[in-house]
Amino acid sequence: MAAPMDTENEMEREFLKQGAEAKVYRENFYGRPCISKQRFSKAYRHQILDKSLTLQRLKSEIRAMNKCRNLGITVPVLYFVDPQTSTFYMEEITNSQTVRDYIVDLQKNDPELAIKKLTPLAGKLGSILGKMHSGKIIHGDLTTSNMLLRGDPENLDIVMIDFGLSFAEGLPEDKGVDLYVFERALLSTHPNTEDLFTEVMEAYKKANVKEANDVISKLDEVRMRGRKRTMVG
Ligand SMILES: Nc1ncnc2c1ncn2[C@@H]1O[C@H](COP(=O)(O)OP(=O)(O)OP(=O)(O)O)[C@@H](O)[C@H]1O
Ligand SMILES: [Mg+2]
């Protein structure tokens, strides 16, 4: 099967975003709205190393998405993977917004309503993260921009994206770090969300019963290290 679009054929795809390692486009996959994500070379990396790292990231992203789907975690449907151009094509989650934009809007417009709406969402997220970790997947880049919301406004579904830094297996420490990254991202992007993180963790414990204690003690350790670093400067 040929790739649906040549890389030279920029005309028919709409550029959406450039991250640190990938460009994200909106295009059409045999008649369906589609998002493509193309990893690009980093000039500072040795050429051969760069190629293998790019391929590795592409593979780990695909692998994690497939695993999540098997675990019952909602991720975009994968359409096609093209290692030649380091691109994969997936379902566009239409009529969605990032958790980041959702929180920012709610907090700006109605802080009280924000707490009411965000608490159940935090619970859902904690269940997803617990399930993901008990299924041996570390996301690697848990931020509120890497989660999309769609569906019934009163009962939104969370769609997890951006598994480019993910990896499999993982010790409790890796899971603790995964949660720490999320805690930092949440608190630094959205003020007054400490209680939401607590809510996330309550649901996490229920969804990853076997490991939760070990993971949380690692999370505490990582937090302590973080704090010491900040104090030393
Ligand atoms: N399947 C999708 N459906 C709708 N929007 C998407 C989808 N995938 C990505 N997006 C949008 O594009 C943005 C960037 O995607 P993504 O997070 O995968 O890339 P990135 O952050 O540039 O990647 P990286 O962190 O690997 O450099 C997302 O925040 C989201 O707004
Ligand atoms: Mg991202």
Side-chain angles (χ1 to χ4, degrees), residues 17 37 141 143 145-146 161-162:
K17 199 203 141 181
K37 186 167 176 183
D141 192 14
T143 66
S145 301
N146 289 336
I161 60 165
D162 201 355

Side-chain angles (χ1 to χ4, degrees), residues 208-227:
N208 192 12
V209 176
K210 268 210 299 219
E211 273 184 329
N213 284 342
D214 290 346
V215 173
I216 290 166
S217 58
K218 288 298 173 187
L219 169 63
D220 288 337
E221 266 177 43
V222 182
R223 276 180 181 143
M224 290 287 285
R225 266 185 257 154
R227 226 164 273 145

